[in-house]
Amino acid sequence: MRPLTSRLQTIKGGTDNSVRVSATLTRALPFSSLFLNQPVTIVARAQAAFAEGTIHRACLMTLKKDGTTFTIGNGATVIANCGMMALSCDPDEPSVKVGDNATIDVNEITVCREAEVPSSLENKVTVDPGLANYDYEVAVPDPSSDDTDESYACTGKGKNKAASLQPGVYNDGIVVKCDTTFAPGIYFVKGELDLTHNAFVVGHKVMFVLMEGAQLKLGGSGANDNTGTGGNNIKSSLYLDPPTASDLIDMGYSEDFANTYENYLILAKKTEEPVDHKINGNVSMHLQGKMYLPKGNVKITGNSEAADGLCFQIASYTIDVNGSAYLKTLCDQDETTSLSTTAGVRLVA
């Protein structure tokens, strides 16, 4: 075997900014002598270059590492200038697929390998193989000994029927059946969190933790009440916002806890198998905050948007926006989830 040889080479307009290494081995192989009267020479080459770590931002992110994970079908609309991202590095399937007749308003679509998008969006696609080394993970909190067992129940009759809920552990889930108000705090939910009933639902400074594979359902139909006060003439309004760090400290949580979980609206414990979640219906949702659904397959149908000036973010296993779905979120750069791919030496040829 000849010794390894190396030399500097130029790529992507630089000067001597990569290294090419080659090795040569000549041997008489057992079967090659049947066809050749001389030894076989094998040459192996590789080229590598240093790549700086890159900061990417997105408010809609899929976490599954293989296959197509982010789909926007024909007829669907997605408005998310804060960015879309998919961490799948599948060599055979594009991680993002956008239908030719979908309406997309986005500054950047960041992928590891490939996106299948209309020609009008090709200049929005950023490819960074460094995403292969990145896992977006959040340590989801557990209930403490101070968290009491709670249950959902409506009181009153007719138009006066309502539910007033307190933070705690909901072992039987939360399925809204009347106008519902959530007091500030953290709600640990098993089974199902279903906020799709024809009722007004409001929660300020709230966080929902989905446990043991609990399913999420958001949606409904009707008008949105921007005042957050509600009323019997308001149906299927969904008005939720998360706690800030100072809110969590005021609730008795530590500063470290508060800084970790501020602005999270919904988090889910990671499960072995994927869990299906739905955001559906014709509703102008007043949502703010981050959703972390690490094994959640999120299907979005109908009209789902943040009220003017509000930002909500979704990081989930997969996202499927289909039919005539309308998804809109408004986030500033300083609000948007960011990740940095690791700097280092990467193969380029």
Side-chain angles (χ1 to χ4, degrees):
M1 178 176 178
R2 295 180 185 175
L4 289 173
T5 60
S6 63
R7 58 184 176 132
L8 295 176
Q9 286 202 327
T10 295
I11 61 167
K12 295 183 178 180
T15 302
D16 291 341
N17 57 349
S18 70
V19 177
R20 187 169 187 177
V21 179
S22 63
T24 303
L25 176 67
T26 301
R27 287 286 188 274
L29 301 177
F31 295 103
S32 64
S33 60
L34 297 176
F35 306 98
L36 302 172
N37 58 4
Q38 60 185 18
V40 174
T41 299
I42 302 172
V43 180
R45 298 186 180 91
Q47 187 173 349
F50 176 79
E52 294 182 355
T54 304
I55 297 176
H56 300 292
R57 295 182 181 275
C59 53
L60 300 175
M61 182 190 305
T62 54
L63 310 178
K64 189 171 183 279
K65 286 293 193 174
D66 59 276
T68 298
T69 64
F70 203 138
T71 304
I72 303 173
N74 286 318
T77 298
V78 174
I79 299 174
N81 283 321
C82 38
M84 296 162 45
M85 187 184 305
L87 301 187
S88 171
C89 288
D90 196 308
D92 302 315
E93 293 286 339
S95 57
V96 175
K97 284 186 179 181
V98 177
D100 289 336
N101 295 321
T103 300
I104 308 296
D105 186 358
V106 62
N107 283 344
E108 187 174 30
I109 302 172
T110 307
V111 296
C112 177
R113 292 180 62 91
E114 181 184 359
E116 186 178 295
V117 301
S119 58
S120 59
L121 289 176
E122 289 178 352
N123 65 333
K124 303 285 188 177
V125 176
T126 296
V127 178
D128 186 348
L131 293 178
N133 303 317
Y134 188 89
D135 290 307
Y136 181 76
E137 295 185 350
V138 177
V140 179
D142 291 307
S144 70
S145 58
D146 296 330
D147 291 305
T148 58
D149 289 341
E150 302 285 346
S151 61
Y152 181 90
C154 299
T155 60
K157 296 181 180 180
K159 292 183 179 180
N160 295 321
K161 201 173 183 180
S164 296
L165 304 188
Q166 296 297 317
V169 181
Y170 286 77
N171 291 296
D172 296 326
I174 298 175
V175 180
V176 167
K177 298 179 180 178
C178 59
D179 287 357
T180 301
T181 302
F182 293 92
I186 301 179
Y187 293 76
F188 296 91
V189 182
K190 299 178 183 179
E192 189 174 36
L193 176 61
D194 185 346
L195 307 181
T196 61
H197 188 69
N198 189 27
F200 178 78
V201 178
V202 60
H204 294 293
K205 305 177 183 179
V206 294
M207 181 190 305
F208 299 95
V209 178
L210 306 181
M211 304 176 65
E212 300 179 2
Q215 288 185 300
L216 171 68
K217 294 180 181 178
L218 300 176
S221 62
N224 181 57
D225 173 27
N226 287 326
T227 67
T229 57
N232 291 327
N233 63 327
I234 301 296
K235 294 301 178 184
S236 291
S237 295
L238 188 58
Y239 192 109
L240 301 173
D241 59 50
T244 63
S246 60
D247 292 332
L248 290 168
I249 291 173
D250 290 343
M251 294 174 193
Y253 294 97
S254 69
E255 185 174 347
D256 285 345
F257 184 98
N259 290 333
T260 299
Y261 296 109
E262 67 171 338
N263 296 325
Y264 274 101
L265 181 66
I266 300 171
L267 302 99
K269 287 284 189 180
K270 193 172 184 178
T271 55
E272 289 294 327
E273 297 298 323
V275 179
D276 292 335
H277 303 296
K278 294 181 180 179
I279 301 176
N280 56 41
N282 180 19
V283 59
S284 182
M285 296 189 299
H286 192 106
L287 290 183
Q288 190 170 3
K290 296 185 283 188
M291 302 182 198
Y292 172 69
L293 306 166
K295 289 302 286 284
N297 293 323
V298 175
K299 181 169 286 188
I300 299 170
T301 61
N303 182 342
S304 305
E305 64 176 296
D308 289 346
L310 294 185
C311 164
F312 71 86
Q313 304 181 53
I314 301 174
S316 62
Y317 200 53
T318 66
I319 296 176
D320 179 13
V321 188
N322 59 68
S324 58
Y326 181 93
L327 176 62
K328 179 180 179 181
T329 179
L330 303 169
C331 299
D332 295 330
Q333 283 293 310
D334 58 352
E335 296 178 293
T336 304
T337 299
S338 64
L339 63 86
S340 299
T341 54
T342 305
V345 176
R346 295 178 187 147
L347 288 175
V348 294

